[in-house]
Amino acid sequence: MCTVCGCGAGEVKIEGGAHEHTHVHEDGTVHTHTHDHGHDHDHAHTHDDAPLGVHSHTHHHSDGSEHSHAHVHEGEHVHEHGHEHGHEHHHHHEHAVGGDLDYGTGPARAHVPGMSQARMVQIEQDILSKNNAYAAANRQWFDERGIFALNLVSSPGSGKTTLLCKTIELLKGSVAINVVEGDQQTANDAERIRATGVPALQINTGKGCHLDGHMVGHAMQRLQPKDESLFLIENVGNLVCPAAFDLGEHHKVAILSVTEGEDKPLKYPDMFAAADVMLLNKCDLLPYLEFDADLAEANARRVNPNLTIFRVSATSGDGMSAWLDWIQSGLEALRGKRSESVDALKRRVAELERQLAVK
Amino acid sequence: MHEMSLAEGVLQLVEDTARRENAQRVKLVVLEIGRLSSVQPDALRFCFDAVTRGGIARDAALEIVDVPGAGWCMQCAVTVPMQELYGACPTCGSHQVQPTGGTEMRVKEIEIE
């Protein structure tokens, strides 16, 4: 099951993944079947902070009376539990018209600690913390290998895939490139990318409206990108949800085409605020449109004053060189950072070897 | 936006905690949702009800603590209340306002037994 999205098991399909198999039998018949991967995790948690160490118990005596008491565990104690992933959720929405949708009528905080078995447990975690943890792991993986990762976001039809194909054509001679394509259905985009000669993996999100860190983690393992390469993620065409879901990329790149409205950055500000770069695409069409490119840029800078903007045309190739230079400098910065950390590690190894030799 | 995804995220944090604490039932879930977080509390309540059915948090009450929006206006150099993300400073009208409060989407605590 998708870790953060409401979509159920089997909805997310990673192209060529183990979740769907097609078998060809000797007699030539073909059958396809899907299966779930259920797996168990055992987690051991150790905690010794006071609020979690306080337990209250109620004892029932044989004469029917009961008493409650609270006690504090000194030191640490360990809980072990196993739980299964890979279960399916079926959701049914059955709300009667005019029915009561107020769930605030429960016994909210009505209990007195120590007087009943109920107790409050502090969680204090961001709702997106699971996704953010996956994204952080992806980012560390990219950083360690010097792989420059970009998350391309836009509305459907802004020309993302065409722009990607053009970018790949111009860059593939100088750097290894891998592409992840996110769409609700079909592997059409991955096929278009593969036609340029670079590896591409399609993720179908099914009911989902965005890619998440968990899906991209699987895609990275499948694609096995080379060290110091370029990793391009084309997100689902959607200007709302992908803004909130970090994939572990180094930059979000928002694409706005001149056949859309100049006010799109104001209508969908989350996405333009989350992006570091905006590509104003299809600029070759400007002479035929009543689109004010300066106004579009001003609107985008209103929600994000630090936005870097390039005017490009994937079809004519105009303006592409500035965008490609930006990618190259990102790649070089990351390689520099990596070789610094590799050098630091080598020095550390040499120092440890020297110390061992002395002993 | 995508309240169903967020409700699933809430449920995972709640279920993980309830299991860790050997709880039989979750009675109450308290969330902190900021005014600037672009979450619709009504939509989130609807989705929470849908995703908690049949699990340990079924019939749990949902309390949503509203966190007011605040931002630092770079022109006025003061913290100002904000009604909407990317909104203007109520004093000077500038859009150079950095949100400082009201963007949270957190599971604060749960009541279990």
Side-chain angles (χ1 to χ4, degrees), chain B residues 5-23:
Chain B
S5 314
L6 297 176
E8 285 277 355
V10 170
L11 183 65
Q12 273 195 333
L13 288 173
V14 168
E15 285 187 340
D16 288 353
T17 308
R19 267 195 219 101
R20 196 183 67 220
E21 298 289 325
N22 290 317

Side-chain angles (χ1 to χ4, degrees), chain A residues 62-352:
Chain A
S62 55
D63 61 3
S65 66
E66 58 176 67
H67 81 276
S68 301
H69 67 92
H71 64 92
V72 178
H73 292 280
E74 296 283 334
E76 63 182 33
H77 58 284
V78 175
H79 294 283
E80 275 197 281
H81 66 91
H83 64 94
E84 284 191 335
H85 290 285
H87 51 283
E88 282 190 52
H89 291 276
H90 293 281
H91 305 301
H92 301 281
H93 301 259
E94 291 164 16
H95 290 275
V97 175
D100 193 357
L101 270 174
D102 181 10
Y103 303 105
T105 51
R109 302 187 200 248
H111 76 292
V112 177
M115 291 302 286
S116 83
Q117 287 178 308
R119 61 205 160 94
M120 302 299 289
V121 180
Q122 304 287 319
I123 299 183
E124 299 286 354
Q125 274 196 62
D126 195 285
I127 294 174
L128 293 173
S129 57
K130 276 246 153 113
N131 182 67
N132 291 344
Y134 283 119
N138 292 351
R139 187 167 289 117
Q140 188 186 350
W141 196 89
F142 285 135
D143 282 345
E144 281 167 2
R145 286 158 185 79
I147 298 167
F148 190 48
L150 299 176
N151 177 4
L152 286 90
V153 291
S154 81
S155 18
S158 67
K160 274 197 304 297
T161 312
T162 306
L163 189 88
L164 265 181
C165 289
K166 190 78 180 182
T167 304
I168 291 164
E169 261 174 44
L170 296 166
L171 276 181
K172 68 179 180 187
S174 57
V175 62
I177 303 173
N178 283 273
V179 180
V180 173
E181 284 286 339
D183 278 301
Q184 257 200 309
Q185 296 291 343
T186 83
N188 295 355
D189 280 1
E191 282 158 19
R192 279 176 67 187
I193 299 293
R194 277 188 213 117
T196 67
V198 305
L201 185 72
Q202 183 79 46
I203 300 178
N204 287 141
T205 55
K207 277 188 248 169
C209 45
H210 53 263
L211 295 177
D212 66 37
H214 189 232
M215 297 176 193
V216 171
H218 278 300
M220 287 154 57
Q221 298 308 322
R222 190 76 55 76
L223 282 165
Q224 289 293 326
K226 285 200 184 94
D227 288 1
E228 305 193 347
S229 64
L230 177 63
F231 197 86
L232 300 170
I233 305 159
E234 181 181 335
N235 216 315
V236 178
N238 175 350
L239 275 177
V240 185
C241 306
F245 289 84
D246 187 4
L247 306 181
E249 75 277 356
H250 293 102
H251 302 282
K252 279 192 184 67
V253 177
I255 295 149
L256 177 67
S257 63
V258 299
T259 51
E260 303 171 56
E262 297 99 337
D263 56 352
K264 216 157 210 182
L266 303 180
K267 286 177 171 172
Y268 301 94
D270 285 331
M271 189 57 87
F272 292 90
D276 296 314
V277 173
M278 182 176 98
L279 298 177
L280 194 59
N281 193 25
K282 307 188 186 177
C283 278
D284 54 310
L285 296 178
L286 275 174
Y288 314 104
L289 302 167
E290 287 180 17
F291 182 90
D292 185 340
D294 293 335
L295 178 61
E297 288 195 7
N299 286 339
R301 288 215 164 90
R302 197 164 120 192
V303 296
N304 184 355
N306 299 318
L307 199 62
T308 301
I309 302 175
F310 300 110
R311 292 186 189 187
V312 298
S313 164
T315 314
S316 71
D318 287 346
M320 290 293 285
S321 59
W323 156 239
L324 299 181
D325 288 347
W326 181 87
I327 295 177
Q328 286 289 5
S329 61
L331 275 165
E332 278 158 25
L334 204 60
R335 284 172 191 160
K337 221 163 78 179
R338 179 172 184 249
S339 66
E340 266 173 38
S341 62
V342 168
D343 288 347
L345 281 173
K346 279 181 182 161
R347 281 197 297 277
R348 177 102 181 104
V349 168
E351 171 64 14
L352 288 172

Side-chain angles (χ1 to χ4, degrees), chain A residues 269-270 273 303, chain B residues 35-38 82-88 99 101-103:
Chain A
D270 285 331
V303 296
Chain B
R35 288 264 179 88
L36 308 183
S37 67
S38 48
M82 283 181 83
Q83 298 309 317
E84 53 173 354
L85 206 52
Y86 321 110
T103 57

